[in-house]
Each structure stands twice: as structure tokens, then as C-alpha cells.
Amino acid sequence: MTTTPHPSTARPRTRRGKTFDAALNRLFKLPRATSDYTVTRGVRVPMRDGVELLGDHYAPTSKALGTLLVRGPYGRSGLYAVNYARLYAQHGYHVLFTSSRGTFGSGGTFRPMVDEVDDGVDTLAWLREQSWFGGRLVTVGLSYLGFTQWAMLTDPPPELVGAIVIVGPHDFTRVAHGTGAFTLNDFLGWSDMVADQEKYGPARSLVNMARAEKRLGPVLYALPLREAGERHLGSGAPWYGDWVSRRDLTEPFWRAHDMTAALDRVTVPVHLVGGWQDLFLDQTLEQYARLHERGQDVSLTVGPWVHVDLVTKAAGLVGREALAFLGEHLAETGTRTRPSRVRVYVTGADEWRDLPGWPPATTGQTLYLQPGNRLGAEVPADDTGTVGFTYDPVDPTPTVGGRLLSQGMAGRRDDRTLAERGDVLAFTGPVLTAPLEVLGVPVVELAHTSDNPHADLFVRISEVDAEGDSRNVSDGFVRLDPAAPAGVVRLPLDAIAHRFPAGSRIRLLVAGGSHPRFERNLGTGEDPATSSATARSRRTITLAGGASTLVLPVTA
């Protein structure tokens, strides 16, 4: 059990702190500060089992406009304090920022996600007893700090008047295993970061995350996965073995990791923020869709960001939107400035677009996989042959860019080397004579067979410019059911808002994996968590009669 220091008294903001906050406002293009504030560090918040969580209380010296609650495991200093405490305190809001149990001075043992529902209930019970709490509350935070919000929203308290969820998943089970394969790079990397974060602090932790590919490379390629990961992590991340080896998502172990029920219980306004290259993009869009379908007050912003961008270069925009949301729903001093409630950044066009909803109305444009590595609107003849490749788990097709947690690997990347590999099929369309805007979910259908039933499919859309440079736009991945009959595999890809400019070409890549983003399919039917035996698979894609297609949701 981590020991907790005695709480300090409220300390006023220093001259240096005021200078820093003023510079922060200018950098983020925020409204001028309206209040000074004090900080009480080391506040003890008791839980029902006797554990005390440690928190910091930021209190405005002017009349308070309401209270924000922030809960998470990454500490309460650095960028987290800047983005989720200092920013709001200087604009008139109380902020209670607590550390998850077992982290940064909080008592108990950290078990990712497992205790967040009960600890949220107990934190709110304590908050109700504080003389400074005015009875109106908004939650805020990103990533795991977003998951803790969904945990509270499974049974929304009456004091809650809104939530600002920034790239926050509601169902970790599907993030980890939803494709059928374990999301290896992200969650070995996350476990490694959390295991060491209190040794180095938040800034160094971000650096370590950016360097994860090099540091964790040997572990990511070692088999069996569980043994290799646990050997590297030692006692620092005891949850990892369960994560990588528990494949049945219906077993009781996973219940505390899934807050999907919150999507049917939310009754307060929710502001969602996502990134086109963020690992939780699909969950952010699902949250919007479910709340919108229920007629709830929900707004959505999706920008051209990877995960870590949301506490760095995107922080100013997120902060401005959050202050507007708080003014409208918590302080009740603001007015609704975004009637459409959906704002997306169209990559390629490099512009923000206000939309009435997501996805917008589009028309499906079908492109056919054709012989000669071509992609086009013409339907291949019925006597067109097949194409194929061999996937070898000993030399797995590598991950190049995409929706990853690690900043050093994530985002849009030059993927020409991927297209040139012998275990990748590349189909490239003609030069576009006019811009083509794609907003929504592209869908690939492949007439695919394998001589080994234990197989994965990875599909990517890339943009090839006039100089031949190629960069990823949208990915899709699935572990195929070995018991399913052979036939057409339908694979939705990542949602996008992208303009392919005139003079560029669209490329479709097809491969048997993307490692280390996803664990490799060993080809034996054995569990990669416990096995090291491998077998190759020979894949065949049928082109005849337009059997294999890419359908793009195109705007008028």
C-alpha cells in the first residue's frame, strides 16, 4: 500500500505561476483569466475499503462558477495539471484532481480500470461533504481520464451536469481484443510506461512512450508473448499477463473493463473529442452515434491528431472548446456557439468543417481490384486471374504508421517500403483529375482464400502524390474465423475525412498482418500468449468479375 503524506494548506499562486498561466493563455489563445486561485495538495479522499486517494484541490479566489472532477493514474503535475487543472482554475472553477489508487501517493494497489466505478462513487460522496462544493459538477479528461468518466456515467450522479471526454474509451475489452488479435504494441507499451512512470515523472514518461519502438523491440518480437512481456515488465505491471492471454471477452474478468452501459444511461450533455489517427477513434465515434441516436445533447470534434497530440499541440483548441462547454452547461453564462455540434478536420484539404452530424450524407464510389496491380472503376473480366502472397509469422509484415498509442510510430507515415514488400499486395489507381473527398467509413470486400485457416487480414488506403510518395489514410484489420467457410471478407476501415487532391492516386494495400501493432497470427491455431510454433499461409485474392472491391463514401 502506498503511503500518503499529510495534506498541505491552501497555497496561493506564485508570481512565477501567474506568469506561466498568462503565457499559457496566450499560447492556447484562451480568454483572459478571470480569477486567481489557490492549490491545496495532498488532499485525502477516503474510499469504502479504508484506502485513501490523494488529490489536489484548485480553488478560484473569485466567486466559483462550478466544480470539475478529474481522476486518473498519470500523476497530477506537468501537462496534466496544465490541461486539466490550472487552465480551469484561472477561469473561475474549482478542480479536484485525484490519482487512481496505487498511483502517485494514493493508497491501495493499481488495477487498471477495475476499481474506477466504486472509487468514483466514493470520491463524489466525499465531495458532497466539502463546504466549497456548490452542487454542480462536470468531469473532464483524456484517455484513461476519459474512461473514469464513463465509469461514473454508468450511474450518473444528480450533481453531474456534463462531461468532456477527450479520446476516452468506454470499452477496453474491444480496444485490446476486438479485432480477434491482441493490440500488442499499444498495451505492452502502455504497461511499460505505467510501470516506470513514478520513477521519471510525466515529461520523461512521454519521452519513453515516443521511444517505445526501439526500447521494446526485442520484447515485441519475442515468443511466447506472455512470458516475454512479464519478463520485461517484472512486477511493475501485474495485469499484463491477463490482458494478453484472456481471449474470452465474456468471462467475468473483463466486466470491470467495459463501461458500454454508460452509453445508454447518460442524460447530461457530453462533449467528445477524437483524432483521426487516435487509437480510440472508433470508440469516440461510437459514443457520438449512440448518444445522438438517443436524442442526447452531444457534440463532437475530430482533428488531425494522434493520441499524445491531445495534451500538446491540440491542447489550445480543446481548452477553448471546453471553456465554452463549461460556460454553457456549468456556469450557465455562455451560449451555444456551434449549432451543428459536429466539427471535423478534413485532412488533405487542411480545413475544419462544421457538419449537421456524423457521418454526413455521401455516395458510395466503387473501385475494383484489377490485374496489373491496378485499382479502378472498370469491372475486371470474368476470366481475370487471381493474385496472391505468402504471410510468414517469422518475418511478419511490419506496422508503418496508423492509429497507435506510441507517438514515435503513430500517424500518417511514408509507407512506400510497405508497398514494396513481397508479402503485400498493392493496387494503385489512376491519377485523379479532380479532388476527391471521402467522409465516412471506407469498406473493402475481398474474395480471399488461404491454404491455412489460421489467418489475419490487414488492409490500408494510402495517398500517393505526384512524386510517388505514399502516406497512409485509413486501415482495417481482422483475425479471420478459422471455422468460417471461404468467401468474401467484408472489412470496414477507419473512418476518415480526407480530400485526395488532383494529381494524386489512391492505393490499396492488402497484407496478412501488421506487427507489432497487432500480435502476429502464428498460423498454428495455438495461442500466441503461450506458444512459439509458427506456420506460413498462402493467400489468394480473386479479381474476376469485380469480386474484390473498395467502396469509398464520397461527398458530392
Side-chain angles (χ1 to χ4, degrees):
M1 176 175 174
T2 306
T3 58
T4 57
H6 290 290
S8 62
T9 57
R11 297 182 179 274
R13 189 169 51 156
T14 64
R15 178 178 296 179
R16 182 179 180 182
K18 293 178 181 179
T19 301
F20 176 86
D21 286 345
L24 176 71
N25 282 345
R26 291 192 295 272
L27 177 66
F28 287 177
K29 299 179 181 179
L30 298 173
R32 184 183 297 273
T34 59
S35 177
D36 201 352
Y37 61 85
T38 63
V39 184
T40 304
R41 303 196 185 278
V43 173
R44 295 183 176 210
V45 183
M47 301 292 103
R48 67 189 67 181
D49 59 356
V51 164
E52 291 181 319
L53 304 189
L54 213 60
D56 296 337
H57 172 214
Y58 292 72
T61 57
S62 63
K63 181 180 178 181
L65 300 176
T67 300
L68 276 66
L69 177 61
V70 185
R71 301 190 301 123
Y74 305 129
R76 307 182 304 280
S77 61
L79 291 175
Y80 296 101
V82 167
N83 286 290
Y84 304 118
R86 301 176 70 114
L87 187 156
Y88 302 112
Q90 63 175 306
H91 286 91
Y93 297 95
H94 284 284
V95 181
L96 177 65
F97 193 160
T98 64
S99 288
S100 297
R101 60 172 58 214
T103 69
F104 292 90
S106 288
T109 300
F110 181 53
R111 301 183 299 169
M113 290 156 278
V114 172
D115 299 298
E116 298 301 349
V117 171
D118 288 346
D119 287 356
V121 171
D122 294 348
T123 299
L124 189 55
W126 176 88
L127 187 59
R128 291 187 180 109
E129 301 300 318
Q130 307 311 302
S131 60
W132 48 264
F133 179 53
R136 291 171 59 81
L137 177 72
V138 165
T139 57
V140 65
L142 93 162
S143 194
Y144 193 105
L145 285 67
F147 180 88
T148 61
Q149 296 182 69
W150 291 118
M152 181 167 284
L153 288 166
T154 59
D155 186 16
E159 296 87 354
L160 190 67
V161 299
I164 303 171
V165 183
I166 305 158
V167 294
H170 60 272
D171 183 2
F172 177 75
T173 65
R174 282 187 288 142
V175 177
H177 286 282
T179 63
F182 181 59
T183 309
L184 176 63
N185 182 81
D186 288 344
F187 297 114
L188 176 63
W190 185 86
S191 298
D192 175 72
M193 179 198 74
V194 173
D196 289 340
Q197 65 178 345
E198 296 193 50
K199 297 178 184 177
Y200 307 117
R204 174 69 180 275
S205 294
L206 290 174
V207 173
N208 282 351
M209 189 187 303
R211 296 175 177 172
E213 180 180 15
K214 181 177 181 180
R215 187 179 66 259
L216 295 176
V219 188
L220 292 165
Y221 277 84
L223 292 170
L225 293 180
R226 178 166 187 164
E227 177 185 327
E230 291 184 331
R231 184 170 59 247
H232 171 79
L233 295 167
S235 62
W239 56 83
Y240 179 76
D242 284 323
W243 283 6
V244 72
S245 60
R246 291 181 180 266
R247 308 262 163 176
D248 181 0
L249 302 185
T250 65
E251 66 174 290
F253 171 83
W254 290 113
R255 289 176 187 166
H257 300 74
D258 180 3
M259 300 295 132
T260 302
L263 303 184
D264 294 324
R265 299 173 183 172
V266 174
T267 57
V268 299
V270 177
H271 178 53
L272 301 168
V273 182
W276 292 125
Q277 294 294 323
D278 174 63
L279 74 157
F280 300 129
L281 170 66
D282 52 344
Q283 298 222 351
T284 298
L285 296 179
E286 179 185 354
Q287 292 155 14
Y288 170 80
R290 292 278 291 273
L291 298 181
H292 183 68
E293 288 168 3
R294 291 180 52 228
Q296 297 302 302
D297 187 340
V298 57
S299 54
L300 172 71
T301 296
V302 186
W305 307 309
V306 301
H307 194 71
V308 177
D309 286 343
L310 275 299
V311 289
T312 54
K313 66 182 183 181
L317 184 148
V318 172
R320 294 191 296 274
E321 291 192 344
L323 286 173
F325 180 91
L326 293 172
E328 179 182 349
H329 298 293
L330 183 57
E332 298 182 318
T333 59
T335 57
R336 181 168 297 189
T337 57
R338 286 174 52 186
S340 74
R341 312 298 283 175
V342 173
R343 189 181 188 212
V344 301
Y345 189 89
V346 181
T347 56
D350 298 328
E351 66 182 30
W352 286 99
R353 193 86 49 83
D354 287 325
L355 301 173
W358 181 266
T362 55
T363 301
Q365 178 171 316
T366 302
L367 301 177
Y368 298 91
L369 282 64
Q370 301 177 342
N373 302 111
R374 293 179 294 113
L375 182 71
E378 304 82 15
V379 180
D382 291 340
D383 60 354
T384 302
T386 62
V387 292
F389 65 93
T390 298
Y391 176 78
D392 186 354
V394 174
D395 180 23
T397 314
T399 297
V400 180
R403 296 194 298 114
L404 292 93
L405 177 61
S406 172
Q407 188 175 30
M409 298 174 61
R412 297 192 63 192
R413 303 278 171 166
D414 182 345
D415 62 6
R416 284 174 294 177
T417 58
L418 194 61
E420 294 165 358
R421 285 180 60 98
D423 57 356
V424 176
L425 297 176
F427 300 87
T428 307
V431 174
L432 295 175
T433 57
L436 184 70
E437 284 200 351
V438 181
L439 276 73
V441 176
V443 176
V444 170
E445 292 191 349
L446 294 177
H448 167 272
T449 58
S450 173
D451 66 355
N452 181 339
H454 304 291
D456 298 343
L457 273 175
F458 173 77
V459 179
R460 161 172 291 179
I461 297 172
S462 296
E463 178 190 300
V464 184
D465 68 16
E467 285 72 43
D469 293 340
S470 175
R471 290 188 175 272
N472 54 295
V473 176
S474 177
D475 294 344
F477 176 90
V478 66
R479 175 152 294 174
L480 301 175
D481 181 355
V488 174
V489 177
R490 184 179 187 276
L491 185 55
L493 275 60
D494 298 331
I496 57 175
H498 183 75
R499 176 187 291 175
F500 293 89
S504 69
R505 292 175 292 163
I506 299 171
R507 173 173 288 165
L508 183 71
L509 302 181
V510 180
S514 179
H515 181 270
R517 179 180 176 185
F518 303 105
E519 65 178 11
R520 71 193 101 169
N521 194 317
L522 301 184
T524 62
E526 297 179 351
D527 188 344
T530 56
S531 177
S532 57
T534 63
R536 297 180 181 181
S537 58
R538 178 65 187 175
R539 315 301 187 81
T540 302
I541 306 295
T542 299
L543 308 179
S548 298
T549 62
L550 164 64
V551 179
L552 299 173
V554 176
T555 60

